[in-house]
């Protein structure tokens, strides 16, 4: 089984160009099935999750070509309604294919997405909203059977600004009869990217990025070319790689607006951050300040996908910090691994108290989920001695070329097969 080996203590310096956003390309790839059209998409990262979505689209009958970070999808030949079970279970966000498939062919069969490492991940809001749009939904033997030949626009009030549910509703409403209004919609930038891709193909969506999204049904979509937004979580992760190693890293291809929550907290931690419209320089401090409170919230609050990474940083801060994880049920699986590296962290439900220690020490650790795995890499960059990280398949789901990029920045890191 592959693992990462790191020897900590090197200061990271240099330049990184941030890849396209995993959480933008996944809903966009789902959206490519709606129109039976051709989509040419640039800035597509090479990640396992993107491969899974690609394999699903091919299994459904689509033609796909991939050259470096460009992907061409022709969904005209789509001729299946069942999402391959093992692929759907490998990536729970495949549930947004429900909305896209209902728009395309009015029918879909998909396995009930399991929970995952960070919590039960229910889909109640997705299913309720699709029913509100007129879809029939049956669940049996672990599968969801849905039919909806003629979806009708309606008003939907989300109980919680769920990213996936907002995306699923948008995808289902694209060709519905009439207008759909989503209230309490998620405001994440990835939803704006989905709106921009679909509107370029002829859809009529307004309001993405705000809590009220309005979709007017259209009859068809045209061929489209699109450039995916940069990954704000990958950018934030490299920012912390600089912060935790007293480094100096320049990030290219970033959208500063997407990073404000992370920038604010890293400035509190003592980092110097300079930015212009699409690049940023971050210098790590000699000593990291503790942060009184980091609370994860829906965008534009501090992102839950950066919680594990900032916890690694705060493990060696001057003083005690508090992290409150308000988005997911069980997103502290990295705590026990950081403790193995000498961190002093206590958790009380969804709150963690991190008492900064002088130095972490390298240890054998195991990645339990995508962002938790990234936090172990960050801790290993600063820890004294050797850190081993197993189950790095988790990390490969969301970080393109991670260890090579870190090595180019000066890290002593290698992948061992
Ligand atoms: C998306 O997941 C992202 N994944 C997650 O990133 C991210 O952490 C999350 O949004 C929050 O920003 C993708 O975009 C592929 P939610 P999603 O629906 O859509 C509960 C990463 O590391 N909920 O906003 O699944 C849910 O259990 C991944 O890249 C319901 O209760 O997130 C959670 O507690 C991890 N019922 C909360 O809402 C529902 O029907 C937020 O979930 C739907 C969600």
């Amino acid at each position: 089984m592959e693992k990462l080996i790191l020897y900590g203590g090197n200061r990271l310096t240099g330049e990184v160009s941030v890849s396209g956003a995993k959480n933008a390309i996944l809903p966009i790839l789902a959206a490519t099935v709606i129109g039976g059209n051709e989509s040419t998409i640039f800035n597509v990262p090479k990640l396992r999750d993107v491969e899974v979505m690609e394999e699903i689209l091919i299994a459904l009958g689509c033609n796909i070509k991939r050259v470096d970070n460009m992907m061409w999808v022709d969904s005209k030949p789509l001729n299946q309604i069942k999402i391959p079970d093992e692929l759907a279970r490998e990536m729970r966000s495949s549930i947004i294919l429900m909305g896209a498939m209902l728009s395309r062919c009015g029918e879909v069969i998909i396995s009930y997405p399991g929970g995952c490492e960070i919590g039960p991940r229910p889909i109640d809001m997705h299913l309720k909203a699709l029913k509100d749009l007129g879809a029939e939904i049956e669940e049996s033997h672990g599968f969801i059977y849905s039919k909806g030949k003629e979806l009708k626009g309606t008003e939907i009030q989300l109980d919680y600004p769920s990213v996936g549910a907002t995306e699923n509703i948008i995808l289902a409403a694209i060709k519905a009869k009439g207008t759909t209004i989503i209230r309490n919609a998620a405001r994440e930038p990835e939803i704006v990217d989905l709106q921009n891709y679909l509107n370029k193909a002829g859809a009529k969506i307004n309001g993405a990025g705000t809590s009220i999204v309005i979709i007017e049904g259209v009859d068809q979509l045209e061929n489209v070319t699109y450039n995916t937004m940069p990954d704000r979580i990958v950018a934030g992760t490299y920012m912390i790689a600089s912060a935790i190693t007293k480094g100096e890293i320049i990030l290219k291809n970033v959208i500063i607006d997407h990073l404000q929550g992370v920038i604010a907290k890293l400035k509190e931690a003592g980092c110097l951050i300079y930015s212009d419209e699409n690049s940023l320089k971050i210098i790590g401090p000699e000593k990291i300040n503790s942060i009184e409170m980091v609370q994860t919230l829906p965008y534009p609050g501090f992102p839950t996908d950066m919680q594990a990474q900032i916890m690694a940083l705060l493990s060696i801060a001057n003083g005690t910090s508090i992290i409150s994880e308000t988005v997911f049920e069980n997103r502290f699986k990295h705590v026990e691994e950081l403790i193995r590296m000498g961190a002093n962290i206590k958790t009380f439900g969804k709150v963690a108290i991190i008492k900064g220690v002088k130095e972490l020490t390298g240890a054998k650790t195991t990645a339990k989920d995508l962002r938790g795995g990234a936090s172990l890499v960050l801790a290993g960059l600063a820890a004294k001695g050797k850190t081993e990280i197993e189950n790095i398949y988790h990390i490969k789901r969301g970080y393109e070329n991670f260890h090579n990029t870190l090595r180019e920045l000066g890290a002593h890191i290698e992948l061992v097969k």
Side-chain angles (χ1 to χ4, degrees), residues 22-23 92 121-125 162-164 305 327 371:
K22 167 177 84 79
N23 292 349
R92 64 168 312 283
R121 306 292 287 274
I123 55 168
D124 52 309
M125 287 189 271
S162 154
V163 172
D305 292 350
V327 177
R371 307 304 175 180

Side-chain angles (χ1 to χ4, degrees), residues 22-24 26-27 49 92-93 118 120-127 160-165 167 186 188 190 232-233 298 304-305 326-329 331 370-371 397:
K22 167 177 84 79
N23 292 349
L26 292 177
D49 272 10
R92 64 168 312 283
S93 55
I118 57 179
R121 306 292 287 274
I123 55 168
D124 52 309
M125 287 189 271
H126 295 245
L127 300 183
Y160 180 91
S162 154
V163 172
E167 290 166 347
E188 272 67 7
E190 291 76 14
R232 59 195 171 96
I233 305 302
T304 175
D305 292 350
T326 73
V327 177
F328 282 105
E329 299 300 305
R331 204 169 193 175
L370 165 55
R371 307 304 175 180
R397 287 185 46 216

Side-chain angles (χ1 to χ4, degrees), residues 219-280:
D219 294 332
Q220 65 179 41
L221 297 177
E222 311 302 328
N223 293 350
V224 57
T225 297
Y226 194 69
N227 194 16
T228 319
M229 65 176 254
D231 194 311
R232 59 195 171 96
I233 305 302
V234 165
T237 306
Y238 283 115
M239 288 171 74
I240 293 190
S242 181
I244 207 167
T245 61
K246 306 183 183 69
E248 181 168 332
I249 293 181
I250 293 174
L251 294 180
K252 295 285 191 190
N253 187 32
V254 292
I255 297 176
I256 299 300
D257 220 22
H258 295 171
L259 293 165
Q260 294 300 353
V262 175
I263 289 169
K265 287 301 171 188
L266 292 185
K267 282 183 172 173
E268 263 188 76
C271 297
L272 294 176
I273 300 175
Y274 309 97
S275 60
D276 62 25
E277 66 279 3
N278 59 10
S279 72
L280 170 150

Side-chain angles (χ1 to χ4, degrees), residues 168-233:
N168 228 339
I169 299 165
I170 290 172
L171 294 170
I174 290 298
K175 291 165 71 176
K177 287 279 165 277
T179 302
T180 299
I181 300 176
I182 311 171
R183 291 198 170 83
N184 197 23
R187 297 186 279 170
E188 272 67 7
E190 291 76 14
I191 295 170
V192 178
D193 228 33
L194 179 63
Q195 169 181 282
N196 294 343
Y197 160 82
L198 281 163
N199 282 350
K200 254 193 111 174
K204 289 202 176 102
I205 313 169
N206 282 293
T210 75
S211 52
I212 296 182
V213 178
I214 301 172
I215 307 105
E216 266 179 72
V218 296
D219 294 332
Q220 65 179 41
L221 297 177
E222 311 302 328
N223 293 350
V224 57
T225 297
Y226 194 69
N227 194 16
T228 319
M229 65 176 254
D231 194 311
R232 59 195 171 96
I233 305 302

Side-chain angles (χ1 to χ4, degrees), residues 343-362:
N344 180 341
I345 304 169
K346 290 186 178 56
T347 59
F348 306 87
K350 300 198 316 184
V351 172
I353 314 280
I354 304 104
K355 193 167 179 305
V357 295
K358 191 168 168 309
E359 188 171 53
L360 296 175
T361 52

Side-chain angles (χ1 to χ4, degrees), residues 1-5 389-393 396 403 414-417:
M1 190 74 133
E2 285 185 332
K3 60 186 174 184
L4 283 173
I5 310 275
I389 305 171
E390 294 191 328
N391 287 4
I392 59 168
Y393 62 87
K396 290 183 157 183
H403 70 283
E414 55 189 324
L415 176 72
V416 172
K417 302 272 182 197

